[in-house]
Amino acid sequence: TFTAPLQKTYAALGMPLWPAWDLRAYEVRNYEAVADRSSRGALDILARIMVVGNDRVGLPLVRITLTDRFGKPLCSRVFEPVEYLGEHSKLHELASPGTLIPVEISLKDPGTDAQGINVEVCMMRQRNGIVCQAEREPFAR
């Protein structure tokens, strides 16, 4: 109830507050890339993220990385909930354990150079900037 007003107040004072949600509270359950689903020339990324902890958590950031056939990153971008929720944008700020968070992102199809995709959950940290699961726990996969 008080999260949004407090964040706005502190941001106005030049001291933004960042939530410290545990990245282990999220699991990417599945994901796929589908060409031309939403429009011609688009590459649509569809994923589901499960809230698996014991506490309610905020909606995460999602990093999409497209890779070449050897797994080398070609491009990467972090998306905010407003960008990936699409028609599900009515999800509450806090998600309860067991909630499936839908991810729908439409990109311009990069062509045949992109052979793989990686979907990661990330959070904004005040001192560290954006921190993602793979950076936090690289051997968890």
Side-chain angles (χ1 to χ4, degrees):
T1 305
F2 299 110
T3 302
L6 281 174
Q7 285 179 321
K8 288 178 184 175
T9 302
Y10 273 80
L13 296 171
M15 301 179 296
L17 294 176
W18 303 103
W21 309 120
D22 186 355
L23 283 171
R24 293 174 293 192
Y26 308 93
E27 282 184 10
V28 177
R29 287 295 169 104
N30 58 19
Y31 59 88
E32 65 178 333
V34 182
D36 298 326
R37 178 180 172 263
S38 64
S39 64
R40 186 169 174 80
L43 180 65
D44 295 314
I45 311 301
L46 307 173
R48 294 186 318 158
I49 299 168
M50 174 74 83
V51 177
V52 295
N54 295 321
D55 301 314
R56 293 172 44 153
V57 292
L59 296 173
L61 302 174
V62 174
R63 179 165 62 189
I64 304 293
T65 304
L66 299 179
T67 60
D68 66 12
R69 66 185 183 146
F70 302 107
K72 180 180 174 187
L74 294 173
C75 58
S76 181
R77 179 169 170 228
V78 175
F79 294 86
E80 295 188 27
V82 69
E83 296 176 292
Y84 67 74
L85 286 175
E87 65 185 45
H88 305 284
S89 62
K90 294 184 182 180
L91 279 179
H92 298 288
E93 183 69 25
L94 293 177
S96 299
T99 301
L100 272 176
I101 302 168
V103 175
E104 297 178 12
I105 298 170
S106 185
L107 309 170
K108 181 180 176 191
D109 193 335
T112 58
D113 288 342
Q115 297 289 315
I117 181 174
N118 189 24
V119 177
E120 292 180 86
V121 174
C122 304
M123 279 289 153
M124 177 63 81
R125 300 284 193 230
Q126 187 170 4
R127 291 183 179 91
N128 302 339
I130 294 173
V131 177
C132 298
Q133 283 178 330
E135 296 156 354
R136 197 61 118 160
E137 299 180 41
F139 301 108
R141 293 181 188 197

